[in-house]
Amino acid sequence: MQAGKMRDLVDILAPVGTVQNSFGAVPKLPKKVATVWAEVLELSGLELIRAQKVVAEATYQVKVRWHPAIVGDSAKQVSLAGGKVLEILHVADPEQRWRELVLLCKG
């Protein structure tokens, strides 16, 4: 992992239901659980074909340093600097050493 490639500051969002609406339901609203530096890559060509073996709809790959807020089932979205929000489809720890996470996302 090269720190110089991680030049995008992104927010990790998780759904949190805290306020009951007028219908009595508690909607799951996204809440920022972490802000991390990331390398955001748009998948195309051969990379997209390889990613489809794991997750059929992945269009982005986001690499971040390992963070406890991301590894659980709670993290569901990545918010990019321009306001674009990506849905996290799969989280992988390629080396199983708690150093780097690779998020396959669609947006």
Side-chain angles (χ1 to χ4, degrees), residues 73-85:
D73 290 335
S74 62
K76 299 295 181 192
Q77 296 176 328
V78 175
S79 177
L80 305 179
K84 185 168 189 157
V85 177

Side-chain angles (χ1 to χ4, degrees), residues 13 25-26 33 61 69 80 84 100:
L13 308 174
V26 180
V33 293
Q61 176 179 293
L80 305 179
K84 185 168 189 157
E100 177 184 47

Side-chain angles (χ1 to χ4, degrees), residues 41 43 47-48 50-63 70 76-78 86-92 101-107:
L41 301 171
L43 298 179
E47 296 157 346
L48 183 58
R50 288 181 189 156
Q52 286 178 342
K53 292 180 181 177
V54 177
V55 180
E57 300 176 35
T59 55
Y60 286 88
Q61 176 179 293
V62 180
K63 289 184 181 181
I70 302 171
K76 299 295 181 192
Q77 296 176 328
V78 175
L86 306 176
E87 180 184 349
I88 299 173
L89 301 173
H90 181 70
V91 178
L101 294 172
V102 176
L103 315 176
L104 293 178
C105 307
K106 73 174 180 177

Side-chain angles (χ1 to χ4, degrees), residues 22-69:
S22 60
F23 300 106
V26 180
K28 299 287 186 179
L29 304 172
K31 177 186 174 192
K32 180 169 63 170
V33 293
T35 300
V36 295
W37 289 100
E39 177 184 7
V40 180
L41 301 171
E42 188 169 359
L43 298 179
S44 60
L46 185 58
E47 296 157 346
L48 183 58
I49 291 170
R50 288 181 189 156
Q52 286 178 342
K53 292 180 181 177
V54 177
V55 180
E57 300 176 35
T59 55
Y60 286 88
Q61 176 179 293
V62 180
K63 289 184 181 181
V64 298
R65 292 194 184 279
W66 190 92
H67 193 284

